[in-house]
Amino acid sequence: KMSENIRGNRTITGAYGELWLDNEKVAELKSIEAKISAERSDVQLGLSIDSKITGLKGEGTLTIFKVYTRGKKILENWAKGKDTRSRIVTSIKDPDSFRGQEERVSIDNVWFNSVELAKFSRGEIVEEEIPFGFTPSDVRYENSIK
């Protein structure tokens, strides 16, 4: 049951977020954003414009601190004409979350849209942004915070 009396310490911080890519922990993770958007078409009913969901689209961006060469395998597959798919699992479990619960999301059938070959500025920490897409039907909440 969700409570109306929430204390600030119950909010979840991203410091406890973890991510696995194809069952390998991505220790150099900075951030992830993954979302599903409803594709809609207008439906006119009298003078009112309503809408109808005609599809769902999954997309996101993985941002990592540059530690390893992550794009090489993707590029090698693309060069062979292979559009290989991956699996991303995210977990966030803040020690202050209600009853120490974890939110875990599994995203399957992930494809990558671009690979950064070089991106850096002198005197700055190097980060890589990896945009991706996925099929919403391949998303599962394995654990949720109640």
Side-chain angles (χ1 to χ4, degrees):
K1 181 183 171 197
M2 294 188 196
S3 171
E4 290 184 24
N5 296 325
I6 297 174
R7 302 282 184 222
N9 67 323
R10 293 297 186 196
T11 59
I12 294 173
T13 175
Y16 298 100
E18 296 181 309
L19 183 138
W20 291 263
L21 176 61
D22 296 326
N23 298 320
E24 180 184 324
K25 187 171 181 179
V26 179
E28 72 275 27
L29 174 71
K30 180 183 180 191
S31 66
I32 182 164
E33 179 186 344
K35 64 181 180 179
I36 296 174
S37 303
E39 302 284 315
R40 295 181 170 272
S41 291
D42 287 346
V43 178
Q44 185 163 349
L45 300 170
L47 290 178
S48 294
I49 304 293
D50 202 337
S51 75
K52 170 86 175 159
I53 293 177
T54 56
L56 299 173
K57 182 177 185 180
E59 56 192 343
T61 303
L62 181 59
T63 304
I64 56 176
F65 296 111
K66 183 72 169 179
V67 178
Y68 307 107
T69 302
R70 288 276 182 189
K72 183 174 186 273
K73 189 166 67 173
I74 298 167
L75 183 59
E76 286 171 348
N77 281 321
W78 286 351
K80 295 175 195 164
K82 294 181 181 175
D83 184 8
T84 56
R85 302 300 167 104
S86 291
R87 179 172 187 251
I88 290 174
V89 175
T90 65
S91 166
I92 189 153
K93 184 176 181 180
D94 191 303
D96 275 337
S97 70
F98 280 106
R99 291 179 295 285
Q101 295 177 91
E102 169 200 40
E103 181 176 271
R104 180 180 290 259
V105 178
S106 165
I107 307 169
D108 217 335
N109 198 35
V110 173
W111 60 85
F112 296 102
N113 294 323
S114 67
V115 173
E116 288 184 354
L117 301 176
K119 177 185 170 189
F120 56 85
S121 299
R122 294 202 183 275
E124 294 180 13
I125 300 287
V126 177
E127 297 176 6
E128 276 185 88
E129 276 192 9
I130 307 169
F132 62 90
F134 58 92
T135 42
S137 58
D138 290 298
V139 173
R140 300 283 176 271
Y141 275 92
E142 295 179 0
N143 289 326
S144 59
I145 298 171
K146 301 176 190 94

